[in-house]
């Protein structure tokens, strides 16, 4: 890095949190991107960058719960209230055994800059627990969510911090969390959580939003190249909420998603995941709780590749939809060799630092980051808050049109910022710079 201040901020962070690899990885990648925009001497004078890369507040708590056999378990819960410069803290909760302080901080950090470009008044947050929902009964999930909320309810609220879902937390968990919040506070405060069910303050399109948003973003990139979705083959990872929305919207626009993956391997469906039966089966597999994608291959008679990742399949577009660091250097080499034209991140930080560098350097691949293309979920979360506060509910079409317009404006802001800093059509750098500038402006205006 050339900027001494940027370098110092990163060094300090590395000294302070030497073992938090995901968190350091996400901050370092971001600092490299925004460096050309750290062009105002007041930033250093106010030590703005340190306050932008560290959470304003973070807490952890124990989550004790009893399983169906009466055996007690103790998990670790976290909430990171990362940045409130432009609105109440806002971000998902992840229930997964890999969750720790580093993971929730990386999620809160990415969420802050993802949320900044939605144009909606939301800050950034992250959280979750090292709980493994696999194989748990419905009652166990409910008791876990209630215990989690017991420890968290004091610190969240419509104007303070608004949690939502992420991996392992879908509308069922949000329902139990919201029910517990309501009992503990005695308030039907709808905007205290988003991703709620449609009968109690949820927004239409929220389930579809993450995937639809990513495809709307991709569509703008295709248009920019004078292309369309028609006939495109898309390689996707995961089979959860994000991939499900991507499959549906891609099919609607005339393309086809040809892969899905799970911890057990990937499936290859050359006809594409384009029918209602296939979409519904994805939901069924997810709700079954086994976290395996193999049943898809058995049901539809397609190839299953155990222990492998979908990146070895040749596709026009690659869209990681599962989790962090699911693309390493070997995968990136494969994606480039297979001739993909677009790499669009839907999951948060899906590539390792080295893999992302390779993909960005490849002259034939256009790249977009998760802080832009992965915004659809939180966009509709913020629209859910808007509807709750006006005690009204928009139609599917109204929400979808707003989602599409906001994804387009994120695309435009990213492209414009890259252009302004002489970086050409660099959507990742442009997105990071545009969101950095927006939060920097808000923080400077509000003082220390
Ligand atoms: N976890 C989602 C994300 O990564 C949703 C956050 C929200 O809706 O608050 O953006």
């Amino acid at each position: 890095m050339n900027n001494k201040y940027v370098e110092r901020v990163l060094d300090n962070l590395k000294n302070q949190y030497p073992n938090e690899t995901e968190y350091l990885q996400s901050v370092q990648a971001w600092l490299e991107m925004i460096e050309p925009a750290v062009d105002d001497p007041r930033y250093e004078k106010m030590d703005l960058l340190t306050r932008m890369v560290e959470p304003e507040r973070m807490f952890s708590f124990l989550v004790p719960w009893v399983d169906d056999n009466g055996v007690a378990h103790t998990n670790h819960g976290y909430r990171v209230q990362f940045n409130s410069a432009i609105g109440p803290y806002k971000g998902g909760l992840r229930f997964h055994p890999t969750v720790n302080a580093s993971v929730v901080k990386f999620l809160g950090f990415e969420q802050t800059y993802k949320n900044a470009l939605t144009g909606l008044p939301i800050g950034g947050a992250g959280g979750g627990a090292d709980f493994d929902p696999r194989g748990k009964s419905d009652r166990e999930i409910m008791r876990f969510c209630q215990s989690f909320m017991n420890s968290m309810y004091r610190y969240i609220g419509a104007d303070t911090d608004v949690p939502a879902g992420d991996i392992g937390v879908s509308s069922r968990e949000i329902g139990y969390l919201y029910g517990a919040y309501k009992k503990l506070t005695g308030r039907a405060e709808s905007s205290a959580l988003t991703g709620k069910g449609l009968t109690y303050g949820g927004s239409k399109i929220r389930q579809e939003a993450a995937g639809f948003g990513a495809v709307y973003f991709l569509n703008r990139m295709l248009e920019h190249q004078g292309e369309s979705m028609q006939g495109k083959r898309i390689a996707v990872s995961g089979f959860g909420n994000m991939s499900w929305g991507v499959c549906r919207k891609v099919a609607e626009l005339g393309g086809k998603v040809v892969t899905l993956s799970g911890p057990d391997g990937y499936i290859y469906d050359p006809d594409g995941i384009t029918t209602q039966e296939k979409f519904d089966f994805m939901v069924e597999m997810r709700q079954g709780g086994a976290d395996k994608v193999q049943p898809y291959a058995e049901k539809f008679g397609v190839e299953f590749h155990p222990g492998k990742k979908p990146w070895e399949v040749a596709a026009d577009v690659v869209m990681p939809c599962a989790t962090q660091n699911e693309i390493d250097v070997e995968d990136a080499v494969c994606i480039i060799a297979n001739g993909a034209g677009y790499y669009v991140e839907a999951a948060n930080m899906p590539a390792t630092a080295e893999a992302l560098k390779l993909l960005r350097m490849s002259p034939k691949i256009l790249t977009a980051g998760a802080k832009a293309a992965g915004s659809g979920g939180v966009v509709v979360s913020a629209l859910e808050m808007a509807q709750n506060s006006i005690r009204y509910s928009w139609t599917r079409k109204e929400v979808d049109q707003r989602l599409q317009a906001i994804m387009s404006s994120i695309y435009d802001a990213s492209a414009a910022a890259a252009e302004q800093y002489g970086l050409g059509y660099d959507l990742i750098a442009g997105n990071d710079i545009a969101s950095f500038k927006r939060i920097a402006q808000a923080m400077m205006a509000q003082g220390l």
Side-chain angles (χ1 to χ4, degrees), residues 90-92 111 114 164-166 194 206 348 377-378 381:
K90 178 91 196 81
Q111 195 80 49
K114 181 189 273 191
D166 198 88
T194 61
R206 178 63 188 85
N348 293 309
V378 77
S381 275

Side-chain angles (χ1 to χ4, degrees), residues 23 68 89 96 110 116 132 208 210 222 282 302 315 358 377 397 405 415 446:
Y23 172 47
D68 289 343
Y89 304 109
H96 194 270
E110 299 260 317
D132 189 353
E208 293 88 343
L222 290 165
M282 285 177 78
V302 302
L358 277 183
K397 198 165 161 208
Q446 292 171 57

